[in-house]
Amino acid sequence: MRKEERLFLAIGAADPALLERSERKDRPFRLGRGGLAAAACLAVLCALAVYTLRRPAAPAAPDITPPPDTVQTAPEVLALTGGDIGELHLVAVHYGPGRDEAADDFILYINEELYCGTWEGESYAVRPRVPSPEGLPECSLTISHRPGASLEAVLAETRAALEAEFDMVEAQPGTEGRVVLSAWDGDESGAEWDAANAAVTLADDRQGGVFVLTARYFTEAAEGHGVNFADMAASFQPVPPDVIVPAWMAALRETVDTLMPALFSDEWPPEAEALLAEGAQVDLYGEDVSGYVSIAGVDITADDDQAPSSAVVSVRHRISSEDSITYVTMMLKYAEEHWLADFIGLEK
């Protein structure tokens, strides 16, 4: 691969069809983020419905006034809008009794041809599959959670940290419950092609805390990785425990909940065995390790967010505190409103 091609990939560029599609988007961001998006990760939308519940009128004497209509707010439904670019990731989905009500569950769209997402300590990191050339600033998007912290307090801390690291810090247009800061090394007119840049999105988790999404890239990659990370940040959505999820997602989580005890106990009751497809391959510990296992989280990737046909579930866990993270990978198919696993195995 020629040097020019390596740099083209390193800044987040892609094939012409994706570039043409992304060029039609309106990008309100600074530093030239209006053009060459390599792969647009579509935003997740929430719909909040209000309905009127009418109480039936009971027989009453003429001098009794019928009770007034009452207006109630319907539960919030998680409405997803997806497309043909990228895959839907349900990240850090927690299971089992004692689930933390302030757990860091969220949804994110990632173009898996260009990026991979992994947990690095307490943060979730999205990195390009083609790394930056040596000597250039890193390109990445990291997501961390600040439970119990106000948006105002995290904003003040974030601005101070950026001002200590970069020459310029500027607020960008945000939306309700979100604040965006951009930073770069340079002056008001811009930055050198290889200068470090950052864009930080602070998102209210709607449970009394804040998610911090930090995108880093260099100036030449602003119209590649910079725009892609901005799209991912736009698609990011916290999932509070009381939100109603789509039927396929609820069925998938119920399936995984049923399979989880069998994975580590090596005991397969009828209800768990019924979730294995005919001829399914299962290769796990071969013994009961349920008394030692520590679940770090469960990541789910579906091939489509409207009508999925398959999903990959990754259970991050340790058998002891001295072990490194191990993954149970489950591959499932969806048909007739049911999920069946056709492969379950261990990966390091």
Side-chain angles (χ1 to χ4, degrees):
M1 184 182 296
R2 291 181 295 115
K3 178 179 178 181
E4 292 80 1
E5 293 174 332
R6 288 198 300 270
L7 184 58
F8 184 70
L9 292 173
I11 63 176
D15 66 70
L18 295 181
L19 295 177
E20 180 181 353
R21 179 158 43 206
S22 64
E23 283 175 345
R24 295 195 294 266
K25 288 191 170 185
D26 180 19
R27 308 281 184 187
F29 293 90
R30 196 180 189 280
L31 296 177
R33 294 181 179 168
L36 308 174
C41 303
L42 302 180
V44 177
L45 305 177
C46 268
L48 183 62
V50 177
Y51 68 98
T52 301
L53 177 64
R54 298 187 179 277
R55 296 179 180 173
D63 59 341
I64 298 177
T65 303
D69 292 348
T70 60
V71 178
Q72 297 183 0
T73 301
E76 186 173 354
V77 178
L78 187 65
L80 308 175
T81 59
D84 59 350
I85 300 177
E87 297 188 5
L88 173 68
H89 284 240
L90 311 177
V91 184
V93 182
H94 294 256
Y95 289 86
R99 178 191 182 279
D100 184 359
E101 292 185 356
D104 51 346
D105 294 5
F106 58 83
I107 287 175
L108 186 72
Y109 284 90
I110 299 174
N111 183 333
E112 292 216 301
E113 293 184 4
L114 297 175
Y115 302 94
C116 58
T118 58
W119 281 94
E120 298 178 359
E122 296 298 318
S123 298
Y124 191 77
V126 179
R127 300 186 184 281
R129 294 192 179 275
V130 178
S132 300
E134 186 176 355
L136 290 176
E138 69 166 319
C139 293
S140 65
L141 173 69
T142 58
I143 301 171
S144 60
H145 190 206
R146 295 283 304 278
S150 69
L151 188 62
E152 294 75 15
V154 177
L155 173 60
E157 293 176 14
T158 302
R159 178 179 283 276
L162 290 175
E163 289 175 344
E165 181 179 355
F166 294 93
D167 297 331
M168 300 294 299
V169 177
E170 185 176 274
Q172 299 290 345
T175 58
E176 184 178 358
R178 296 201 176 195
V179 178
V180 181
L181 296 173
S182 62
W184 65 95
D185 283 332
D187 54 29
E188 293 182 356
S189 62
E192 297 293 331
W193 75 273
D194 58 350
N197 287 246
V200 181
T201 300
L202 306 180
D204 188 342
D205 71 356
R206 297 157 56 204
Q207 299 179 77
V210 179
F211 280 99
V212 181
L213 293 78
T214 304
R216 291 181 178 273
Y217 48 90
F218 53 97
T219 305
E220 188 71 13
E223 294 183 347
H225 293 313
V227 170
N228 295 341
F229 292 149
D231 285 335
M232 293 182 208
S235 81
F236 175 87
Q237 182 177 355
V239 185
D242 56 351
V243 170
I244 297 176
V245 301
W248 67 262
M249 190 188 301
L252 178 57
R253 296 177 73 157
E254 183 177 352
T255 298
V256 175
D257 282 344
T258 304
L259 288 171
M260 286 273 281
L263 302 180
F264 300 107
S265 69
D266 200 35
E267 295 181 4
W268 292 82
E271 61 269 21
E273 194 165 347
L275 298 176
L276 299 178
E278 185 177 355
Q281 178 183 348
V282 179
D283 185 13
L284 294 169
Y285 288 102
E287 61 178 321
D288 184 0
V289 297
S290 59
Y292 313 102
V293 68
S294 172
I295 306 297
V298 180
D299 300 339
I300 300 173
T301 303
D303 65 339
D304 185 271
D305 66 350
Q306 299 297 311
S309 61
S310 65
V312 177
V313 178
S314 181
V315 183
R316 296 177 289 112
H317 67 280
R318 301 176 192 269
I319 298 303
S320 78
S321 59
E322 298 177 355
D323 289 345
S324 59
I325 287 288
T326 302
Y327 301 84
V328 170
T329 298
M330 292 185 277
M331 298 182 180
L332 302 100
K333 302 293 184 183
Y334 189 54
E336 299 180 355
E337 300 183 349
H338 290 87
W339 290 94
L340 295 177
D342 54 16
F343 171 84
I344 304 177
L346 292 172
E347 294 183 76
K348 275 289 188 182

